[in-house]
PDB file of all heavy atoms in Angstrom:
ATOM      1  N   THR A  11     -83.264  75.837  31.220  1.00 89.00           N
ATOM      2  CA  THR A  11     -83.567  76.473  29.953  1.00 89.00           C
ATOM      3  C   THR A  11     -85.027  76.413  29.517  1.00 89.00           C
ATOM      4  O   THR A  11     -85.415  77.139  28.653  1.00 89.00           O
ATOM      5  CB  THR A  11     -82.722  75.746  28.863  1.00 89.00           C
ATOM      6  OG1 THR A  11     -83.017  74.313  28.942  1.00 89.00           O
ATOM      7  CG2 THR A  11     -81.217  75.912  29.091  1.00 89.00           C
ATOM      8  N   PHE A  12     -85.842  75.675  30.207  1.00 88.00           N
ATOM      9  CA  PHE A  12     -87.274  75.533  29.814  1.00 88.00           C
ATOM     10  C   PHE A  12     -88.164  76.315  30.787  1.00 88.00           C
ATOM     11  O   PHE A  12     -89.359  76.199  30.676  1.00 88.00           O
ATOM     12  CB  PHE A  12     -87.677  74.056  29.822  1.00 88.00           C
ATOM     13  CG  PHE A  12     -87.380  73.333  31.090  1.00 88.00           C
ATOM     14  CD1 PHE A  12     -88.310  73.339  32.147  1.00 88.00           C
ATOM     15  CD2 PHE A  12     -86.153  72.714  31.277  1.00 88.00           C
ATOM     16  CE1 PHE A  12     -87.985  72.681  33.344  1.00 88.00           C
ATOM     17  CE2 PHE A  12     -85.849  72.107  32.489  1.00 88.00           C
ATOM     18  CZ  PHE A  12     -86.777  72.060  33.495  1.00 88.00           C
ATOM     19  N   CYS A  13     -87.614  77.099  31.661  1.00 86.00           N
ATOM     20  CA  CYS A  13     -88.338  77.748  32.722  1.00 86.00           C
ATOM     21  C   CYS A  13     -88.364  79.281  32.546  1.00 86.00           C
ATOM     22  O   CYS A  13     -87.271  79.848  32.341  1.00 86.00           O
ATOM     23  CB  CYS A  13     -87.699  77.396  34.087  1.00 86.00           C
ATOM     24  SG  CYS A  13     -88.457  78.304  35.492  1.00 86.00           S
ATOM     25  N   ALA A  14     -89.504  79.885  32.601  1.00 78.00           N
ATOM     26  CA  ALA A  14     -89.666  81.323  32.398  1.00 78.00           C
ATOM     27  C   ALA A  14     -88.849  82.085  33.489  1.00 78.00           C
ATOM     28  O   ALA A  14     -88.281  83.105  33.192  1.00 78.00           O
ATOM     29  CB  ALA A  14     -91.128  81.729  32.419  1.00 78.00           C
ATOM     30  N   THR A  15     -88.928  81.612  34.735  1.00 78.00           N
ATOM     31  CA  THR A  15     -88.184  82.312  35.782  1.00 78.00           C
ATOM     32  C   THR A  15     -86.727  82.181  35.571  1.00 78.00           C
ATOM     33  O   THR A  15     -85.993  83.209  35.733  1.00 78.00           O
ATOM     34  CB  THR A  15     -88.541  81.674  37.136  1.00 78.00           C
ATOM     35  OG1 THR A  15     -89.972  81.740  37.378  1.00 78.00           O
ATOM     36  CG2 THR A  15     -87.879  82.387  38.266  1.00 78.00           C
ATOM     37  N   GLY A  16     -86.219  80.997  35.172  1.00 75.00           N
ATOM     38  CA  GLY A  16     -84.815  80.806  34.923  1.00 75.00           C
ATOM     39  C   GLY A  16     -84.295  81.700  33.820  1.00 75.00           C
ATOM     40  O   GLY A  16     -83.104  82.158  33.915  1.00 75.00           O
ATOM     41  N   LEU A  17     -85.112  81.965  32.832  1.00 75.00           N
ATOM     42  CA  LEU A  17     -84.697  82.814  31.728  1.00 75.00           C
ATOM     43  C   LEU A  17     -84.495  84.235  32.145  1.00 75.00           C
ATOM     44  O   LEU A  17     -83.717  85.013  31.536  1.00 75.00           O
ATOM     45  CB  LEU A  17     -85.731  82.771  30.619  1.00 75.00           C
ATOM     46  CG  LEU A  17     -85.903  81.364  29.912  1.00 75.00           C
ATOM     47  CD1 LEU A  17     -87.070  81.449  28.909  1.00 75.00           C
ATOM     48  CD2 LEU A  17     -84.612  80.939  29.256  1.00 75.00           C
ATOM     49  N   ALA A  18     -85.175  84.650  33.265  1.00 77.00           N
ATOM     50  CA  ALA A  18     -85.112  86.045  33.685  1.00 77.00           C
ATOM     51  C   ALA A  18     -83.996  86.311  34.651  1.00 77.00           C
ATOM     52  O   ALA A  18     -83.636  87.499  34.878  1.00 77.00           O
ATOM     53  CB  ALA A  18     -86.487  86.414  34.372  1.00 77.00           C
ATOM     54  N   GLY A  19     -83.375  85.278  35.240  1.00 90.00           N
ATOM     55  CA  GLY A  19     -82.304  85.491  36.237  1.00 90.00           C
ATOM     56  C   GLY A  19     -82.844  85.806  37.608  1.00 90.00           C
ATOM     57  O   GLY A  19     -84.000  85.959  37.876  1.00 90.00           O
ATOM     58  N   LEU A  20     -81.886  85.967  38.572  1.00 95.00           N
ATOM     59  CA  LEU A  20     -82.193  86.217  39.970  1.00 95.00           C
ATOM     60  C   LEU A  20     -82.096  87.678  40.269  1.00 95.00           C
ATOM     61  O   LEU A  20     -81.125  88.337  39.983  1.00 95.00           O
ATOM     62  CB  LEU A  20     -81.250  85.418  40.861  1.00 95.00           C
ATOM     63  CG  LEU A  20     -81.358  85.634  42.391  1.00 95.00           C
ATOM     64  CD1 LEU A  20     -82.698  85.120  42.865  1.00 95.00           C
ATOM     65  CD2 LEU A  20     -80.213  85.011  43.110  1.00 95.00           C
ATOM     66  N   ALA A  21     -83.133  88.225  40.996  1.00 95.00           N
ATOM     67  CA  ALA A  21     -83.108  89.557  41.499  1.00 95.00           C
ATOM     68  C   ALA A  21     -82.614  89.523  42.960  1.00 95.00           C
ATOM     69  O   ALA A  21     -81.677  90.230  43.320  1.00 95.00           O
ATOM     70  CB  ALA A  21     -84.473  90.232  41.351  1.00 95.00           C
ATOM     71  N   ARG A  22     -83.322  88.735  43.826  1.00 97.00           N
ATOM     72  CA  ARG A  22     -82.909  88.599  45.206  1.00 97.00           C
ATOM     73  C   ARG A  22     -83.676  87.463  45.875  1.00 97.00           C
ATOM     74  O   ARG A  22     -84.637  86.968  45.346  1.00 97.00           O
ATOM     75  CB  ARG A  22     -83.174  89.913  45.950  1.00 97.00           C
ATOM     76  CG  ARG A  22     -84.626  90.289  46.164  1.00 97.00           C
ATOM     77  CD  ARG A  22     -84.722  91.445  47.175  1.00 97.00           C
ATOM     78  NE  ARG A  22     -86.058  91.957  47.380  1.00 97.00           N
ATOM     79  CZ  ARG A  22     -86.966  91.454  48.182  1.00 97.00           C
ATOM     80  NH1 ARG A  22     -86.674  90.388  48.929  1.00 97.00           N
ATOM     81  NH2 ARG A  22     -88.186  92.036  48.328  1.00 97.00           N
ATOM     82  N   ASN A  23     -83.205  87.132  47.101  1.00 98.00           N
ATOM     83  CA  ASN A  23     -83.924  86.159  47.934  1.00 98.00           C
ATOM     84  C   ASN A  23     -85.091  86.831  48.543  1.00 98.00           C
ATOM     85  O   ASN A  23     -85.138  88.082  48.789  1.00 98.00           O
ATOM     86  CB  ASN A  23     -83.040  85.659  49.033  1.00 98.00           C
ATOM     87  CG  ASN A  23     -81.946  84.704  48.557  1.00 98.00           C
ATOM     88  OD1 ASN A  23     -82.115  83.981  47.630  1.00 98.00           O
ATOM     89  ND2 ASN A  23     -80.783  84.680  49.269  1.00 98.00           N
ATOM     90  N   LEU A  24     -86.140  86.022  48.827  1.00 98.00           N
ATOM     91  CA  LEU A  24     -87.240  86.534  49.619  1.00 98.00           C
ATOM     92  C   LEU A  24     -86.899  86.377  51.086  1.00 98.00           C
ATOM     93  O   LEU A  24     -86.146  85.506  51.509  1.00 98.00           O
ATOM     94  CB  LEU A  24     -88.540  85.734  49.341  1.00 98.00           C
ATOM     95  CG  LEU A  24     -89.063  85.822  47.923  1.00 98.00           C
ATOM     96  CD1 LEU A  24     -90.493  85.226  47.852  1.00 98.00           C
ATOM     97  CD2 LEU A  24     -89.091  87.232  47.365  1.00 98.00           C
ATOM     98  N   THR A  25     -87.481  87.223  51.922  1.00 98.00           N
ATOM     99  CA  THR A  25     -87.372  87.066  53.360  1.00 98.00           C
ATOM    100  C   THR A  25     -88.319  85.995  53.859  1.00 98.00           C
ATOM    101  O   THR A  25     -89.237  85.584  53.144  1.00 98.00           O
ATOM    102  CB  THR A  25     -87.668  88.381  54.128  1.00 98.00           C
ATOM    103  OG1 THR A  25     -89.065  88.648  53.967  1.00 98.00           O
ATOM    104  CG2 THR A  25     -86.856  89.526  53.541  1.00 98.00           C
ATOM    105  N   ALA A  26     -88.091  85.570  55.066  1.00 98.00           N
ATOM    106  CA  ALA A  26     -89.025  84.534  55.646  1.00 98.00           C
ATOM    107  C   ALA A  26     -90.466  85.064  55.672  1.00 98.00           C
ATOM    108  O   ALA A  26     -91.403  84.338  55.441  1.00 98.00           O
ATOM    109  CB  ALA A  26     -88.550  84.214  57.035  1.00 98.00           C
ATOM    110  N   GLY A  27     -90.634  86.351  55.990  1.00 98.00           N
ATOM    111  CA  GLY A  27     -91.931  86.935  56.067  1.00 98.00           C
ATOM    112  C   GLY A  27     -92.617  86.975  54.664  1.00 98.00           C
ATOM    113  O   GLY A  27     -93.844  86.791  54.572  1.00 98.00           O
ATOM    114  N   GLU A  28     -91.821  87.267  53.650  1.00 98.00           N
ATOM    115  CA  GLU A  28     -92.370  87.342  52.282  1.00 98.00           C
ATOM    116  C   GLU A  28     -92.782  85.924  51.806  1.00 98.00           C
ATOM    117  O   GLU A  28     -93.778  85.799  51.039  1.00 98.00           O
ATOM    118  CB  GLU A  28     -91.381  87.981  51.340  1.00 98.00           C
ATOM    119  CG  GLU A  28     -91.161  89.424  51.563  1.00 98.00           C
ATOM    120  CD  GLU A  28     -89.960  90.021  50.815  1.00 98.00           C
ATOM    121  OE1 GLU A  28     -89.029  89.244  50.463  1.00 98.00           O
ATOM    122  OE2 GLU A  28     -89.874  91.204  50.650  1.00 98.00           O
ATOM    123  N   ILE A  29     -92.101  84.923  52.235  1.00 98.00           N
ATOM    124  CA  ILE A  29     -92.485  83.524  51.882  1.00 98.00           C
ATOM    125  C   ILE A  29     -93.756  83.150  52.627  1.00 98.00           C
ATOM    126  O   ILE A  29     -94.758  82.672  52.018  1.00 98.00           O
ATOM    127  CB  ILE A  29     -91.353  82.588  52.258  1.00 98.00           C
ATOM    128  CG1 ILE A  29     -90.076  82.855  51.410  1.00 98.00           C
ATOM    129  CG2 ILE A  29     -91.770  81.145  52.045  1.00 98.00           C
ATOM    130  CD1 ILE A  29     -88.817  82.197  51.843  1.00 98.00           C
ATOM    131  N   ALA A  30     -93.773  83.387  53.922  1.00 98.00           N
ATOM    132  CA  ALA A  30     -95.010  83.024  54.694  1.00 98.00           C
ATOM    133  C   ALA A  30     -96.181  83.831  54.311  1.00 98.00           C
ATOM    134  O   ALA A  30     -97.307  83.322  54.330  1.00 98.00           O
ATOM    135  CB  ALA A  30     -94.666  83.252  56.196  1.00 98.00           C
ATOM    136  N   ALA A  31     -95.974  85.103  53.929  1.00 97.00           N
ATOM    137  CA  ALA A  31     -97.089  85.948  53.546  1.00 97.00           C
ATOM    138  C   ALA A  31     -97.908  85.443  52.400  1.00 97.00           C
ATOM    139  O   ALA A  31     -99.133  85.728  52.296  1.00 97.00           O
ATOM    140  CB  ALA A  31     -96.620  87.345  53.289  1.00 97.00           C
ATOM    141  N   GLN A  32     -97.295  84.694  51.455  1.00 97.00           N
ATOM    142  CA  GLN A  32     -98.003  84.163  50.342  1.00 97.00           C
ATOM    143  C   GLN A  32     -99.070  83.169  50.801  1.00 97.00           C
ATOM    144  O   GLN A  32    -100.225  83.120  50.315  1.00 97.00           O
ATOM    145  CB  GLN A  32     -97.045  83.493  49.358  1.00 97.00           C
ATOM    146  CG  GLN A  32     -96.086  84.437  48.789  1.00 97.00           C
ATOM    147  CD  GLN A  32     -94.944  83.687  48.043  1.00 97.00           C
ATOM    148  OE1 GLN A  32     -95.193  83.026  46.989  1.00 97.00           O
ATOM    149  NE2 GLN A  32     -93.715  83.743  48.563  1.00 97.00           N
ATOM    150  N   VAL A  33     -98.674  82.371  51.805  1.00 97.00           N
ATOM    151  CA  VAL A  33     -99.620  81.381  52.357  1.00 97.00           C
ATOM    152  C   VAL A  33    -100.751  82.112  53.151  1.00 97.00           C
ATOM    153  O   VAL A  33    -101.923  81.778  52.968  1.00 97.00           O
ATOM    154  CB  VAL A  33     -98.896  80.392  53.254  1.00 97.00           C
ATOM    155  CG1 VAL A  33     -99.866  79.385  53.880  1.00 97.00           C
ATOM    156  CG2 VAL A  33     -97.759  79.694  52.542  1.00 97.00           C
ATOM    157  N   LEU A  34    -100.380  83.106  53.934  1.00 96.00           N
ATOM    158  CA  LEU A  34    -101.391  83.822  54.691  1.00 96.00           C
ATOM    159  C   LEU A  34    -102.386  84.534  53.803  1.00 96.00           C
ATOM    160  O   LEU A  34    -103.570  84.607  54.086  1.00 96.00           O
ATOM    161  CB  LEU A  34    -100.696  84.864  55.621  1.00 96.00           C
ATOM    162  CG  LEU A  34     -99.721  84.244  56.675  1.00 96.00           C
ATOM    163  CD1 LEU A  34     -99.095  85.370  57.515  1.00 96.00           C
ATOM    164  CD2 LEU A  34    -100.416  83.245  57.582  1.00 96.00           C
ATOM    165  N   TYR A  35    -101.851  85.093  52.662  1.00 95.00           N
ATOM    166  CA  TYR A  35    -102.755  85.814  51.771  1.00 95.00           C
ATOM    167  C   TYR A  35    -103.835  84.922  51.242  1.00 95.00           C
ATOM    168  O   TYR A  35    -105.007  85.280  51.256  1.00 95.00           O
ATOM    169  CB  TYR A  35    -101.934  86.370  50.568  1.00 95.00           C
ATOM    170  CG  TYR A  35    -102.781  87.003  49.505  1.00 95.00           C
ATOM    171  CD1 TYR A  35    -103.126  88.374  49.610  1.00 95.00           C
ATOM    172  CD2 TYR A  35    -103.210  86.294  48.417  1.00 95.00           C
ATOM    173  CE1 TYR A  35    -103.934  88.942  48.606  1.00 95.00           C
ATOM    174  CE2 TYR A  35    -104.008  86.873  47.419  1.00 95.00           C
ATOM    175  CZ  TYR A  35    -104.354  88.202  47.555  1.00 95.00           C
ATOM    176  OH  TYR A  35    -105.159  88.798  46.552  1.00 95.00           O
ATOM    177  N   PHE A  36    -103.502  83.705  50.790  1.00 94.00           N
ATOM    178  CA  PHE A  36    -104.474  82.818  50.261  1.00 94.00           C
ATOM    179  C   PHE A  36    -105.375  82.233  51.343  1.00 94.00           C
ATOM    180  O   PHE A  36    -106.575  82.063  51.094  1.00 94.00           O
ATOM    181  CB  PHE A  36    -103.798  81.705  49.425  1.00 94.00           C
ATOM    182  CG  PHE A  36    -103.469  82.098  48.032  1.00 94.00           C
ATOM    183  CD1 PHE A  36    -102.180  82.550  47.743  1.00 94.00           C
ATOM    184  CD2 PHE A  36    -104.409  81.994  47.026  1.00 94.00           C
ATOM    185  CE1 PHE A  36    -101.871  82.979  46.482  1.00 94.00           C
ATOM    186  CE2 PHE A  36    -104.097  82.405  45.717  1.00 94.00           C
ATOM    187  CZ  PHE A  36    -102.800  82.934  45.483  1.00 94.00           C
ATOM    188  N   ALA A  37    -104.826  81.969  52.510  1.00 92.00           N
ATOM    189  CA  ALA A  37    -105.692  81.516  53.604  1.00 92.00           C
ATOM    190  C   ALA A  37    -106.718  82.583  53.950  1.00 92.00           C
ATOM    191  O   ALA A  37    -107.864  82.279  54.177  1.00 92.00           O
ATOM    192  CB  ALA A  37    -104.839  81.172  54.794  1.00 92.00           C
ATOM    193  N   ARG A  38    -106.290  83.834  53.971  1.00 87.00           N
ATOM    194  CA  ARG A  38    -107.217  84.938  54.259  1.00 87.00           C
ATOM    195  C   ARG A  38    -108.262  85.099  53.089  1.00 87.00           C
ATOM    196  O   ARG A  38    -109.445  85.343  53.374  1.00 87.00           O
ATOM    197  CB  ARG A  38    -106.374  86.209  54.413  1.00 87.00           C
ATOM    198  CG  ARG A  38    -107.090  87.432  54.920  1.00 87.00           C
ATOM    199  CD  ARG A  38    -106.175  88.629  54.938  1.00 87.00           C
ATOM    200  NE  ARG A  38    -104.992  88.374  55.717  1.00 87.00           N
ATOM    201  CZ  ARG A  38    -103.733  88.506  55.284  1.00 87.00           C
ATOM    202  NH1 ARG A  38    -103.544  88.878  54.015  1.00 87.00           N
ATOM    203  NH2 ARG A  38    -102.715  88.276  56.040  1.00 87.00           N
ATOM    204  N   TRP A  39    -107.780  84.972  51.900  1.00 76.00           N
ATOM    205  CA  TRP A  39    -108.631  85.103  50.735  1.00 76.00           C
ATOM    206  C   TRP A  39    -109.712  84.016  50.668  1.00 76.00           C
ATOM    207  O   TRP A  39    -110.852  84.284  50.366  1.00 76.00           O
ATOM    208  CB  TRP A  39    -107.706  85.029  49.477  1.00 76.00           C
ATOM    209  CG  TRP A  39    -108.363  85.327  48.191  1.00 76.00           C
ATOM    210  CD1 TRP A  39    -109.496  86.078  47.940  1.00 76.00           C
ATOM    211  CD2 TRP A  39    -107.878  85.016  46.924  1.00 76.00           C
ATOM    212  NE1 TRP A  39    -109.722  86.200  46.595  1.00 76.00           N
ATOM    213  CE2 TRP A  39    -108.714  85.519  45.914  1.00 76.00           C
ATOM    214  CE3 TRP A  39    -106.753  84.262  46.463  1.00 76.00           C
ATOM    215  CZ2 TRP A  39    -108.517  85.390  44.562  1.00 76.00           C
ATOM    216  CZ3 TRP A  39    -106.519  84.151  45.089  1.00 76.00           C
ATOM    217  CH2 TRP A  39    -107.419  84.676  44.156  1.00 76.00           C
ATOM    218  N   MET A  40    -109.314  82.840  51.035  1.00 64.00           N
ATOM    219  CA  MET A  40    -110.261  81.703  50.974  1.00 64.00           C
ATOM    220  C   MET A  40    -111.299  81.854  52.055  1.00 64.00           C
ATOM    221  O   MET A  40    -112.406  81.384  51.913  1.00 64.00           O
ATOM    222  CB  MET A  40    -109.546  80.371  51.100  1.00 64.00           C
ATOM    223  CG  MET A  40    -108.605  80.082  49.917  1.00 64.00           C
ATOM    224  SD  MET A  40    -107.659  78.608  50.138  1.00 64.00           S
ATOM    225  CE  MET A  40    -108.921  77.342  49.913  1.00 64.00           C
ATOM    226  N   GLY A  41    -110.954  82.533  53.136  1.00 58.00           N
ATOM    227  CA  GLY A  41    -111.927  82.778  54.182  1.00 58.00           C
ATOM    228  C   GLY A  41    -112.841  83.932  53.869  1.00 58.00           C
ATOM    229  O   GLY A  41    -113.920  84.048  54.468  1.00 58.00           O
ATOM    230  N   ASP A  42    -112.467  84.789  52.864  1.00 56.00           N
ATOM    231  CA  ASP A  42    -113.222  85.981  52.539  1.00 56.00           C
ATOM    232  C   ASP A  42    -113.279  86.048  51.011  1.00 56.00           C
ATOM    233  O   ASP A  42    -112.420  86.651  50.385  1.00 56.00           O
ATOM    234  CB  ASP A  42    -112.553  87.223  53.118  1.00 56.00           C
ATOM    235  CG  ASP A  42    -113.367  88.542  52.710  1.00 56.00           C
ATOM    236  OD1 ASP A  42    -114.469  88.390  52.149  1.00 56.00           O
ATOM    237  OD2 ASP A  42    -112.851  89.609  52.986  1.00 56.00           O
ATOM    238  N   PRO A  43    -114.260  85.389  50.355  1.00 49.00           N
ATOM    239  CA  PRO A  43    -114.335  85.344  48.908  1.00 49.00           C
ATOM    240  C   PRO A  43    -114.348  86.745  48.248  1.00 49.00           C
ATOM    241  O   PRO A  43    -113.896  86.885  47.117  1.00 49.00           O
ATOM    242  CB  PRO A  43    -115.683  84.590  48.628  1.00 49.00           C
ATOM    243  CG  PRO A  43    -115.932  83.809  49.881  1.00 49.00           C
ATOM    244  CD  PRO A  43    -115.370  84.647  50.981  1.00 49.00           C
ATOM    245  N   GLU A  44    -114.845  87.765  49.009  1.00 51.00           N
ATOM    246  CA  GLU A  44    -114.844  89.050  48.342  1.00 51.00           C
ATOM    247  C   GLU A  44    -113.440  89.717  48.313  1.00 51.00           C
ATOM    248  O   GLU A  44    -113.197  90.652  47.522  1.00 51.00           O
ATOM    249  CB  GLU A  44    -115.753  90.002  49.160  1.00 51.00           C
ATOM    250  CG  GLU A  44    -117.212  89.550  49.157  1.00 51.00           C
ATOM    251  CD  GLU A  44    -117.739  89.405  47.741  1.00 51.00           C
ATOM    252  OE1 GLU A  44    -117.496  90.329  46.910  1.00 51.00           O
ATOM    253  OE2 GLU A  44    -118.433  88.430  47.426  1.00 51.00           O
ATOM    254  N   ALA A  45    -112.479  89.166  49.029  1.00 51.00           N
ATOM    255  CA  ALA A  45    -111.172  89.736  49.066  1.00 51.00           C
ATOM    256  C   ALA A  45    -110.382  89.544  47.776  1.00 51.00           C
ATOM    257  O   ALA A  45    -109.388  90.206  47.541  1.00 51.00           O
ATOM    258  CB  ALA A  45    -110.388  89.193  50.273  1.00 51.00           C
ATOM    259  N   GLY A  46    -110.821  88.601  46.945  1.00 46.00           N
ATOM    260  CA  GLY A  46    -110.073  88.263  45.773  1.00 46.00           C
ATOM    261  C   GLY A  46    -110.375  89.145  44.624  1.00 46.00           C
ATOM    262  O   GLY A  46    -109.729  89.087  43.574  1.00 46.00           O
ATOM    263  N   GLY A  47    -111.389  89.984  44.640  1.00 44.00           N
ATOM    264  CA  GLY A  47    -111.741  90.862  43.557  1.00 44.00           C
ATOM    265  C   GLY A  47    -112.611  90.116  42.539  1.00 44.00           C
ATOM    266  O   GLY A  47    -113.368  89.182  42.845  1.00 44.00           O
ATOM    267  N   THR A  48    -112.476  90.500  41.269  1.00 41.00           N
ATOM    268  CA  THR A  48    -113.375  89.910  40.223  1.00 41.00           C
ATOM    269  C   THR A  48    -113.240  88.455  39.997  1.00 41.00           C
ATOM    270  O   THR A  48    -114.149  87.805  39.634  1.00 41.00           O
ATOM    271  CB  THR A  48    -113.177  90.709  38.910  1.00 41.00           C
ATOM    272  OG1 THR A  48    -111.808  90.528  38.527  1.00 41.00           O
ATOM    273  CG2 THR A  48    -113.522  92.195  39.088  1.00 41.00           C
ATOM    274  N   ASN A  49    -112.011  87.964  40.213  1.00 42.00           N
ATOM    275  CA  ASN A  49    -111.823  86.531  40.013  1.00 42.00           C
ATOM    276  C   ASN A  49    -111.677  85.778  41.368  1.00 42.00           C
ATOM    277  O   ASN A  49    -110.883  84.876  41.543  1.00 42.00           O
ATOM    278  CB  ASN A  49    -110.498  86.248  39.245  1.00 42.00           C
ATOM    279  CG  ASN A  49    -110.717  86.521  37.753  1.00 42.00           C
ATOM    280  OD1 ASN A  49    -111.791  86.508  37.220  1.00 42.00           O
ATOM    281  ND2 ASN A  49    -109.590  86.939  37.096  1.00 42.00           N
ATOM    282  N   SER A  50    -112.521  86.198  42.337  1.00 48.00           N
ATOM    283  CA  SER A  50    -112.441  85.639  43.676  1.00 48.00           C
ATOM    284  C   SER A  50    -112.717  84.149  43.665  1.00 48.00           C
ATOM    285  O   SER A  50    -113.338  83.587  42.804  1.00 48.00           O
ATOM    286  CB  SER A  50    -113.392  86.331  44.574  1.00 48.00           C
ATOM    287  OG  SER A  50    -114.723  86.149  44.166  1.00 48.00           O
ATOM    288  N   LEU A  51    -112.187  83.464  44.669  1.00 47.00           N
ATOM    289  CA  LEU A  51    -112.305  82.044  44.801  1.00 47.00           C
ATOM    290  C   LEU A  51    -113.697  81.654  45.147  1.00 47.00           C
ATOM    291  O   LEU A  51    -114.465  82.403  45.805  1.00 47.00           O
ATOM    292  CB  LEU A  51    -111.353  81.542  45.896  1.00 47.00           C
ATOM    293  CG  LEU A  51    -109.859  81.789  45.657  1.00 47.00           C
ATOM    294  CD1 LEU A  51    -109.077  81.317  46.894  1.00 47.00           C
ATOM    295  CD2 LEU A  51    -109.433  81.037  44.445  1.00 47.00           C
ATOM    296  N   PRO A  52    -114.137  80.437  44.698  1.00 45.00           N
ATOM    297  CA  PRO A  52    -115.428  79.935  45.177  1.00 45.00           C
ATOM    298  C   PRO A  52    -115.483  79.737  46.646  1.00 45.00           C
ATOM    299  O   PRO A  52    -114.455  79.500  47.250  1.00 45.00           O
ATOM    300  CB  PRO A  52    -115.552  78.633  44.367  1.00 45.00           C
ATOM    301  CG  PRO A  52    -114.165  78.245  44.076  1.00 45.00           C
ATOM    302  CD  PRO A  52    -113.398  79.526  43.928  1.00 45.00           C
TER     303      PRO A  52
END
């Protein structure tokens, strides 16, 4: 009841690739500061 995601309900499960891709995105972003756009990582 205190969670924004829980209030919205479930749409679907993520695939294994969609889960792993979140990690790969940030690993790639951290290696390339320009990849993050205006709020890119230090």
Side-chain angles (χ1 to χ4, degrees):
T11 55
F12 53 90
C13 173
T15 302
L17 296 175
L20 175 67
R22 69 168 174 87
N23 286 332
L24 298 191
T25 68
E28 290 167 339
I29 295 168
Q32 297 169 68
V33 179
L34 300 179
Y35 175 87
F36 278 94
R38 190 182 305 124
W39 189 19
M40 294 175 74
D42 179 8
E44 296 304 316
T48 57
N49 285 334
S50 60
L51 296 175

